[in-house]
Amino acid sequence: MFNQHYRVRFAPSPTGSLHVGGARTALFNFLLSRKHKGAFVLRVEDTDLLRNTNTALAEQLRDLKWLGIDWDEGVSQFNAPDIGPFGPYRQTQRLEIYLKLAEDLVKNGKAYYVNSNEDHGAASLATPLRKAIKLKIPTNKQYEFNDLIRGPIKINTNTLDDFIIIRSNGLPVYNFSNPIDDHLMKITHVYRAEEHLYNTFKQLLVYEALNFKVPLFGHLSLILGQDKQKLSKRHGAVSCDVYREKGILPEALINYLSLLGWSPKNDLEFFKIEDLIEKFDAAGFNAAPAIFDEKKLNWFNTLHIRNLSDVALYERVIAFDNSVTLNSDKTFLIKLISVIKPVATNLEMIANLLKRFNEDLFEIKSETLLKFDITVLKIVISLWNKALSKTDNTFISESQFLQIIEEISKESRHSGKNLYQSLRIAILGTPSGLDLKKVVPLIKLESLKRRAVETLNQIDRMS
Ligand code: GLU
């Protein structure tokens, strides 16, 4: 049973893929609804026909689901028999509601028709079909509300003009349909981005004109880039799908986003969604702008990767890139994952490293070789090759490997980076930071030999 006294919503306009700022707004509302056992409504604000697309909507829904942000009412709903048939909530399917209320306002003298040439915003749309409707604004009246995050905020209507509520194409503007829906959907708390602060006053005028009870408002902190400017595409990846495609785990993104403008008021930072639901409360909101730091997100990703069991991580990796299963069985891949996990930063990196264990995919890029001193590579790898040819088990054990390393080091007089990077190239084709004493015992001797010979051939071709 939902607590009907606590109803929040996320109201995206599907103009593009899900922005990290939008995801944070959705997350905070979702967490609050779960914490208070209330309802989380998803309402699609798609009345800007020029900018909204079904593709963007589908992408946004996919990414919300990927993040684990599920809604109780909205474009698709799960079973909630105790609250009745809700949704789908798409404003384009509710146009007659807004029109009817606007016409009522005209009848009451609170709004009036204007010629379509006053509707500049609709100029680019199809031929106007009707007169636009404007809301009358009381003159010199003070409006105030107590923002749940920022405290009391005031405005005088002298800074506002009468504004269009229904455009000449019959569609409502955001500041009209948004408060109407919040009222009809019984939203109790409106948490949204700070950029809507000024809109809130226009919406208060709509609530007043329609005699609707005003919900509580909280405006979340801005999210800025490293240069302290508002986060935008200029700053690189700002949409969730880019992070999903890079192999960031949804739990890492959730964890990172939860700390942008909110804090649990202690030093703890690592949270899974269930911890957040338990700990989340509106008292932790912070009005000061938050800085988006991709490095920190990556750091959270390493933590969440390490937090998964090898089997769970295997499942994530194959869901991310199924081609890693080619010629490799599950048990083997899980063993490899246990070796890769301590150095892994994202799923893409894990998938790429797994492929390096696949005999058929072994390759060394010439650019990689060019970064190293060819003479050193040649000496170390030749000694490695020699040591392998003297061994005849199917696999090399960890202690055998350590002994070989010692011998190569003595003979070549190379140690540390020179020695290990050269061996890494001859074993995996890349100087990745995997722990070789763990990696080598997992690869068949035969394959190690072939790899070493191929590397030496490639070096010869280069020199
Ligand atoms: N459709 C608006 C947006 O995407 C919703 C703002 C609000 O939450 O009121 O910014």
Side-chain angles (χ1 to χ4, degrees), residues 5 21 51 95 97 127 130 151 167 220 223 229 232 235 244 281 341 362-363 406 427 440 443 446:
H5 304 296
R51 296 176 61 230
L95 297 179
I97 300 176
T127 329
R130 58 179 344 278
R167 303 172 78 177
L220 305 171
I223 303 182
Q229 301 298 311
S232 74
H235 294 98
R244 182 168 43 77
D281 66 23
K341 194 160 79 169
F362 179 74
E363 59 153 359
E406 222 182 282
I427 292 165
V440 167
I443 304 178
E446 228 178 283

Side-chain angles (χ1 to χ4, degrees), residues 198-380:
Y198 182 73
N199 287 326
T200 302
F201 287 105
K202 289 188 163 180
Q203 296 175 13
L204 288 178
L205 294 162
V206 172
Y207 281 104
E208 185 176 69
L210 290 168
N211 272 325
F212 287 167
K213 185 171 177 273
V214 179
L216 296 168
F217 293 101
H219 290 87
L220 305 171
S221 69
L222 282 176
I223 303 182
L224 307 179
Q226 297 285 325
D227 56 359
K228 310 264 163 74
Q229 301 298 311
K230 200 172 160 214
L231 191 68
S232 74
K233 287 207 173 106
R234 268 183 312 113
H235 294 98
V238 287
S239 64
C240 297
D241 52 357
V242 176
Y243 291 109
R244 182 168 43 77
E245 282 159 20
K246 272 191 195 168
I248 295 286
L249 297 178
E251 45 269 73
L253 190 51
I254 289 277
N255 193 163
Y256 181 60
L257 292 179
S258 76
L259 297 168
L260 295 180
W262 179 81
S263 124
K265 302 244 159 80
N266 55 34
D267 290 340
L268 298 180
E269 282 200 313
F270 180 86
F271 299 116
K272 290 190 280 180
I273 197 146
E274 53 271 28
D275 307 324
L276 285 169
I277 291 173
E278 198 197 306
K279 296 198 166 40
F280 212 76
D281 66 23
F285 284 135
N286 187 342
I291 310 270
F292 189 82
D293 177 358
E294 205 175 313
K295 282 205 200 93
K296 184 117 195 220
L297 169 60
N298 289 334
W299 177 76
F300 273 112
N301 207 39
T302 60
L303 298 187
H304 282 275
I305 283 177
R306 281 176 221 169
N307 188 54
L308 291 177
S309 70
D310 297 342
V311 178
L313 186 52
Y314 162 83
E315 300 292 344
R316 301 297 187 97
V317 177
I318 60 166
F320 178 79
D321 181 352
N322 194 256
S323 70
V324 300
T325 55
L326 213 74
N327 302 333
S328 305
D329 75 85
K330 184 172 168 179
T331 325
F332 179 57
L333 287 173
I334 291 175
K335 251 191 218 159
L336 296 181
I337 281 180
S338 72
V339 175
I340 297 174
K341 194 160 79 169
V343 298
T345 52
N346 60 49
L347 298 179
E348 189 178 35
M349 171 190 180
I350 302 178
N352 287 340
L353 280 172
L354 286 176
K355 288 180 199 165
R356 302 233 159 232
F357 287 87
N358 185 330
E359 182 85 51
D360 301 333
L361 299 178
F362 179 74
E363 59 153 359
I364 310 168
K365 300 221 161 69
S366 344
E367 310 95 84
T368 310
L369 286 183
L370 284 171
K371 284 190 204 129
F372 293 89
D373 182 334
I374 296 287
T375 348
V376 177
L377 286 178
K378 213 168 164 170
I379 296 172
V380 173

Side-chain angles (χ1 to χ4, degrees), residues 23-130:
R24 184 199 56 170
T25 304
L27 172 68
F28 285 178
N29 280 291
F30 168 79
L31 292 172
L32 287 166
S33 72
R34 295 302 178 257
K35 167 88 185 189
H36 293 276
K37 308 213 172 346
F40 177 51
V41 172
L42 177 71
R43 179 176 73 232
V44 180
E45 301 202 325
D46 55 350
T47 57
D48 185 342
L49 301 183
L50 283 182
R51 296 176 61 230
N52 295 295
T53 67
N54 277 332
T55 319
L57 175 58
E59 283 172 9
Q60 293 210 7
L61 300 185
R62 176 201 59 200
D63 287 342
L64 285 173
K65 294 228 175 235
W66 171 70
L67 286 167
I69 301 177
D70 261 322
W71 50 97
D72 307 312
E73 299 170 29
V75 276
S76 68
Q77 72 246 56
F78 41 82
N79 214 0
D82 55 319
I83 50 166
F86 286 97
Y89 294 147
R90 285 187 73 161
Q91 290 191 325
T92 44
Q93 295 178 0
R94 302 166 55 79
L95 297 179
E96 68 284 6
I97 300 176
Y98 317 121
L99 196 55
K100 158 94 177 45
L101 287 169
E103 282 166 351
D104 287 351
L105 287 178
V106 175
K107 278 185 210 137
N108 298 338
K110 293 180 180 170
Y112 56 96
Y113 289 110
V114 291
N115 284 330
S116 54
N117 59 4
E118 285 201 43
D119 181 10
H120 304 297
S124 54
L125 290 167
T127 329
L129 303 170
R130 58 179 344 278

Side-chain angles (χ1 to χ4, degrees), residues 9-14 25 43-45 91 174 178 182 190-193 195-196 199 203:
R9 55 28 164 215
F10 176 52
S13 295
T25 304
R43 179 176 73 232
V44 180
E45 301 202 325
Q91 290 191 325
Y174 156 72
N178 181 283
D182 281 341
V190 172
Y191 283 103
R192 62 181 163 205
E195 66 208 24
H196 290 296
N199 287 326
Q203 296 175 13

Side-chain angles (χ1 to χ4, degrees), residues 6-17:
Y6 198 96
R7 291 175 57 85
V8 289
R9 55 28 164 215
F10 176 52
S13 295
T15 53
S17 48

